[in-house]
C-alpha cells in the first residue's frame, strides 16, 4: 500500500513566524508532489507543486523535495492568521498508476 | 474563484432518489476526476477519466455511476445511496493524467437521509 504520512497537528505558530510542514512518502518511484490548502468546509486549493530535488519558491511559500529521503516539505514565511487551514501533501503514484495519494493533512493555526 | 464548476453546491436526497452531480471545466484539460471526502479525512479517489474514457474505478459501488459526455463535462449519477454516502464530493481536472496538478471544484455537499 503506497502511503503518504503527515503529522496531523495542530501546528501552532505565531503571526510572522515560519511554519514548516512535513510529509514522507513510501513510493520510491514517485516523481510529482503537490501541496494543497483546505479551509474548513471548502475544497482543496493547489498551493505548490514540485518535481525535482531541491527548493521551489513562490511568494511566501517554499516547497522542498528530497527524493533520496522520500521527504517533501512546505515552508510558509511570514505566517498570517489567514494561513490557518489544513495542508494536504499529495504524491502521484508511479508505475503508470496515475493516482494522486493524499496524506491525512496537517492543521496549521497561526495566532496573532 | 475556481475554474472547475460543480453543481449543485448542496444536495439532500432520500435513499430511493436518483440524482446527478455535475462538473464543468473550460481549461482544455483532458483528465477529470471524482473524489469523495468525509469530515476530517483526506479526499479519496473514486474515478478517473482520461480523454473521455474511464481509466480508473477505485472499486466504487455501482450506486455511483460516472459519465463523461465530452471533454468539458463530468457527471456522477447517484441511485439508492446510503446515509454513509453523505460527504463532500469533489470534481477535479488536470491537463492530463500523470504529473499534471489537479484543480478542484468547490464541491457538492451531499446528505443522504
Amino acid at each position: 500500500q503506497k502511503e503518504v504520512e503527515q503529522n496531523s497537528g495542530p501546528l501552532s505558530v505565531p503571526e510572522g513566524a515560519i511554519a514548516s510542514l512535513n510529509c514522507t512518502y513510501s513510493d520510491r518511484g514517485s516523481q510529482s508532489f503537490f501541496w494543497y490548502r483546505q479551509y474548513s468546509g471548502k475544497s482543496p486549493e493547489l498551493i505548490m507543486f514540485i518535481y525535482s530535488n531541491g527548493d521551489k519558491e513562490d511568494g511566501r511559500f517554499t516547497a522542498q523535495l528530497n527524493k533520496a529521503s522520500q521527504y517533501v516539505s512546505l515552508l510558509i514565511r511570514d505566517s498570517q492568521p489567514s494561513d490557518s487551514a489544513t495542508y494536504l501533501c499529495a504524491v502521484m503514484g508511479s508505475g503508470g498508476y496515475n493516482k494522486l495519494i493524499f496524506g491525512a493533512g496537517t492543521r496549521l493555526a497561526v495566532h496573532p | 474563484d475556481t475554474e472547475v464548476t460543480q453543481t449543485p453546491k448542496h444536495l439532500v436526497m432520500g435513499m430511493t432518489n436518483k440524482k446527478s452531480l455535475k462538473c464543468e471545466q473550460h481549461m482544455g484539460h483532458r483528465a477529470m476526476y471524482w473524489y469523495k471526502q468525509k469530515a476530517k479525512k483526506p479526499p479519496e479517489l473514486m474515478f478517473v477519466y482520461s480523454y473521455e474514457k474511464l481509466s480508473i474505478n477505485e472499486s466504487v459501488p455501482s450506486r455511483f455511476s460516472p459519465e463523461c459526455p465530452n471533454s468539458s463535462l463530468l457527471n456522477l449519477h447517484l441511485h439508492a445511496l446510503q446515509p454513509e454516502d453523505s460527504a463532500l464530493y469533489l470534481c477535479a481536472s488536470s491537463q492530463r493524467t500523470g504529473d499534471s496538478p489537479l484543480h478542484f471544484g468547490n464541491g457538492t455537499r451531499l446528505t443522504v437521509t
Side-chain angles (χ1 to χ4, degrees):
Chain A
Q1 178 71 13
K2 300 178 182 184
E3 294 181 344
V4 178
E5 300 285 344
Q6 293 182 258
N7 188 319
S8 62
L11 174 65
S12 182
V13 300
E15 185 174 356
I18 296 175
S20 178
L21 304 157
N22 304 314
C23 171
T24 59
Y25 59 94
S26 63
D27 183 354
R28 187 169 286 280
S30 292
Q31 300 293 324
S32 308
F33 307 88
F34 308 88
W35 283 99
Y36 287 85
R37 177 176 64 197
Q38 187 170 28
Y39 293 111
S40 180
K42 303 294 186 183
S43 65
E45 174 191 6
L46 181 68
I47 298 295
M48 295 281 291
F49 57 91
I50 185 167
Y51 303 142
S52 304
N53 277 330
D55 294 0
K56 178 181 178 183
E57 187 174 319
D58 183 1
R60 295 187 296 113
F61 299 97
T62 299
Q64 299 175 316
L65 175 61
N66 183 326
K67 291 182 183 178
S69 300
Q70 295 175 242
Y71 177 92
V72 59
S73 64
L74 179 70
L75 301 178
I76 306 175
R77 289 182 298 282
D78 189 22
S79 295
Q80 301 297 309
S82 59
D83 295 325
S84 299
T86 295
Y87 289 80
L88 298 164
C89 173
V91 177
M92 190 65 74
S94 66
Y97 186 54
N98 293 317
K99 177 179 175 179
L100 191 62
I101 303 165
F102 283 89
T106 297
R107 189 157 60 89
L108 174 66
V110 181
H111 54 86
Chain B
D1 285 342
T2 179
E3 295 181 81
V4 178
T5 303
Q6 289 187 245
T7 55
K9 288 184 168 51
H10 300 275
L11 178 62
V12 179
M13 60 185 291
M15 289 189 284
T16 58
N17 291 159
K18 285 186 182 180
K19 296 285 184 184
S20 296
L21 309 185
K22 297 187 183 300
C23 176
E24 189 169 6
Q25 58 89 14
H26 293 289
M27 295 181 282
H29 289 176
R30 301 313 302 267
M32 296 187 77
Y33 310 77
W34 281 114
Y35 279 81
K36 172 183 176 179
Q37 188 175 26
K38 303 280 275 186
K40 299 190 187 303
K41 297 290 187 182
E44 296 175 19
L45 181 65
M46 300 175 72
F47 304 103
V48 179
Y49 274 84
S50 178
Y51 291 85
E52 299 152 54
K53 290 189 180 348
L54 182 65
S55 63
I56 294 178
N57 176 341
E58 286 287 290
S59 302
V60 179
S62 61
R63 57 186 185 266
F64 296 91
S65 175
E67 178 194 22
C68 189
N70 60 54
S71 59
S72 300
L73 292 174
L74 185 66
N75 299 321
L76 185 63
H77 302 298
L78 313 173
H79 173 55
L81 294 193
Q82 303 297 310
E84 59 264 30
D85 296 321
S86 298
L88 180 65
Y89 287 83
L90 296 162
C91 173
S93 70
S94 64
Q95 282 191 328
R96 58 188 178 274
T97 57
D99 59 0
S100 301
L102 271 63
H103 299 267
F104 285 88
N106 286 329
T108 293
R109 177 75 58 188
L110 174 67
T111 303
V112 182
T113 60

